[in-house]
Amino acid sequence: MKRQFPDMVALRSLLAPRAPRLDMWKARVERAQTVGDLRTLARIRTPRAVFDYTDGAADSEVTLARSRELFGSLSFHPRVLKDVGDIDTSIELLGASSALPFAFAPTGFTRMMRADGEPAVARAAERAGIAYALSTMGTTSIEEVALAAPRLRRWFQLYLWRDREAGLDFLRRAQASGYEALVLTVDVPVAGNRLRDVYNGLTIPPQITARTFIDGAMHPGWWFDLLTTPALEFASMNSYGGTVGALINQMFDPSATIDDLAFLREHWSGKLIVKGIQRLEDAVSLADIGVDAIVLSNHGGRQLDRATAPLRLLGTVVEELGSQMEIYIDGGVTHGADVVAAIALGAKAVLVGRAYLYGLMAGGEAGVDRVIEILTSQIRRTMALLGVRTLAELDPSYVTLP
């Protein structure tokens, strides 16, 4: 082959340099292609104790691993030669439209992950047209979140407290601030044994010990945010300083039963979602008393280790109760294909927790936006490759569990 001198005009186009980015982290967040990429960035940017609080689970973390492994090992069965030119990811939840088949799950201590915390998550959810559940253990108040995202579909998550009057105060405030649904979490009679938190000596708020001082030197941005923004505390309750487990055991009522739901129904006029269901008979009991939705959930593996993956239980519950109430699942969801698989197997929607926290830790509000973009792209692509245009077209024939 005859050699020639390169065409300088063509060479210049190949070598055109990109404009330098002053915000390196923002650029890295924008380049992230998976939730796993954002998890890696979150691990770099955040002190170990804070990252481990988000990333970890109870005891040997078998429950969390099972949930993720089940999503990873399922098989899809696509149709071909189907018109998938116009994908529709919208769905109706609790009588109102959601742009996507997932909502943001309640997570505690969100400002510990990043100073802009719950308002950043709420604004991102509002822009995406999805619901966000504010945790009782949140670090931004019920009222502040409502002001931060006035058009957001707001849900409020509640535990059954020993102090019933405190619980009633939460309900009154949430109702006054336009929260449409109450998410009652029922799988925390006592605190799970989260060993990473124990080993890291995590307290709320974080305390500066010799270990955290050294770790802080490696994460100066996080510590600067912590020390130059309002104090990190529980916004919906009195100030508390101590371990997470000690707080749970002190405040939550281990003697609560299904009869206590009547107490909530008397004082809450909105929709009622019960989260933390892991057996069919419990789901049946809740259907019998008329709750609007349940979440099949093992608390992200953070409570009872060796628990069943919610996806494994989904088909049985949907077959028995799918016409009586809406059925959601959570736990181990890190990819849009996980969401699509859950919908195909009968879930009305999926709750996403850790994934958006990775985005928040990696890049603040922009990081949460990026998580939504990634999941949306993955959902749309998976639906197209399966040969479906709408979520209603999905059914169990598209998925096989191992």
Side-chain angles (χ1 to χ4, degrees), residues 252-314:
F252 296 1
D253 186 0
S255 67
T257 70
I258 196 169
D259 294 334
D260 290 289
L261 269 66
F263 166 82
L264 293 179
R265 275 297 199 191
E266 290 175 15
H267 297 90
W268 179 257
S269 60
K271 301 291 187 179
L272 178 59
I273 304 167
V274 180
K275 178 177 179 291
I277 307 308
Q278 300 178 65
R279 290 177 66 102
L280 175 61
E281 55 262 49
D282 288 338
V284 170
S285 296
L286 292 166
D288 288 344
I289 64 173
V291 305
D292 298 289
I294 59 171
V295 185
L296 303 180
S297 172
N298 55 35
H299 213 98
R302 297 165 71 80
Q303 284 298 107
L304 176 67
D305 206 15
R306 300 178 180 84
T308 300
L311 194 65
R312 183 74 70 188
L313 178 63
L314 177 59

Side-chain angles (χ1 to χ4, degrees), residues 127-168:
R127 283 190 292 273
I130 63 175
Y132 167 50
L134 174 66
S135 172
T136 303
M137 311 297 283
T139 42
T140 304
S141 73
I142 293 167
E143 295 80 9
E144 287 176 295
V145 168
L147 289 172
R151 294 178 300 280
L152 169 71
R153 291 189 66 183
R154 297 183 294 277
W155 299 351
F156 182 70
Q157 180 269 335
L158 183 72
Y159 296 98
L160 285 169
W161 296 83
R162 294 177 188 269
D163 182 353
R164 290 290 193 267
E165 185 55 39
L168 285 179

Side-chain angles (χ1 to χ4, degrees), residues 38-71:
L38 292 168
R39 178 182 178 273
T40 298
L41 294 178
R43 190 169 192 169
I44 297 169
R45 296 201 74 177
T46 315
R48 177 175 176 177
V50 176
F51 176 82
D52 279 354
Y53 174 77
T54 302
D55 193 62
D59 290 307
S60 300
E61 305 191 357
V62 171
T63 297
L64 176 58
R66 282 179 177 171
S67 295
R68 288 179 171 161
E69 286 167 5
L70 187 56
F71 277 118

Side-chain angles (χ1 to χ4, degrees), residues 3-282:
R3 301 286 182 180
Q4 64 182 32
F5 286 106
D7 183 317
M8 298 309 294
V9 174
L11 186 61
R12 278 199 301 271
S13 68
L14 291 173
L15 298 177
R18 293 182 180 180
R21 296 290 300 272
L22 297 179
D23 189 337
M24 176 189 70
W25 285 106
K26 183 177 180 181
R28 294 179 73 176
V29 167
E30 290 173 354
R31 289 198 301 269
Q33 297 300 304
T34 68
V35 170
D37 291 342
L38 292 168
R39 178 182 178 273
T40 298
L41 294 178
R43 190 169 192 169
I44 297 169
R45 296 201 74 177
T46 315
R48 177 175 176 177
V50 176
F51 176 82
D52 279 354
Y53 174 77
T54 302
D55 193 62
D59 290 307
S60 300
E61 305 191 357
V62 171
T63 297
L64 176 58
R66 282 179 177 171
S67 295
R68 288 179 171 161
E69 286 167 5
L70 187 56
F71 277 118
S73 60
L74 62 81
S75 298
F76 282 122
H77 307 286
R79 299 287 306 274
V80 297
L81 297 176
K82 295 291 184 178
D83 178 3
V84 291
D86 183 19
I87 299 295
D88 181 4
T89 62
S90 65
I91 197 166
E92 186 174 283
L93 298 180
L94 299 177
S97 178
S98 174
L100 294 160
F102 64 86
F104 278 168
T107 59
F109 326 128
T110 310
R111 284 189 56 241
M112 182 174 69
M113 289 69 173
R114 179 90 173 202
D116 37 3
E118 289 90 354
V121 178
R123 287 188 293 265
E126 181 182 56
R127 283 190 292 273
I130 63 175
Y132 167 50
L134 174 66
S135 172
T136 303
M137 311 297 283
T139 42
T140 304
S141 73
I142 293 167
E143 295 80 9
E144 287 176 295
V145 168
L147 289 172
R151 294 178 300 280
L152 169 71
R153 291 189 66 183
R154 297 183 294 277
W155 299 351
F156 182 70
Q157 180 269 335
L158 183 72
Y159 296 98
L160 285 169
W161 296 83
R162 294 177 188 269
D163 182 353
R164 290 290 193 267
E165 185 55 39
L168 285 179
D169 181 59
F170 295 146
L171 297 188
R172 287 190 287 263
R173 292 167 57 192
Q175 211 147 254
S177 294
Y179 286 69
E180 67 175 72
L182 179 68
V183 182
L184 179 67
T185 299
V186 294
D187 57 357
V188 191
V190 296
N193 188 30
R194 301 171 194 172
L195 291 176
R196 292 204 219 181
D197 297 346
V198 175
Y199 296 148
N200 289 327
L202 179 69
T203 62
I204 307 295
Q207 297 175 351
I208 299 179
T209 63
R211 173 187 285 184
T212 56
F213 180 82
I214 294 170
D215 198 23
M218 300 172 64
H219 305 91
W222 184 90
W223 280 103
F224 178 80
D225 281 348
L226 178 70
L227 298 174
T228 59
T229 54
L232 181 61
E233 59 185 7
F234 300 115
S236 296
M237 66 188 82
N238 294 330
S239 295
Y240 173 85
T243 66
V244 177
L247 172 64
I248 289 172
N249 291 332
Q250 173 185 326
M251 304 295 289
F252 296 1
D253 186 0
S255 67
T257 70
I258 196 169
D259 294 334
D260 290 289
L261 269 66
F263 166 82
L264 293 179
R265 275 297 199 191
E266 290 175 15
H267 297 90
W268 179 257
S269 60
K271 301 291 187 179
L272 178 59
I273 304 167
V274 180
K275 178 177 179 291
I277 307 308
Q278 300 178 65
R279 290 177 66 102
L280 175 61
E281 55 262 49
D282 288 338

Side-chain angles (χ1 to χ4, degrees), residues 343-361:
I343 302 300
L345 292 171
K348 187 69 171 177
V350 173
L351 269 61
V352 174
R354 280 185 180 88
Y356 77 73
L357 292 180
Y358 293 142
L360 183 68
M361 290 188 288

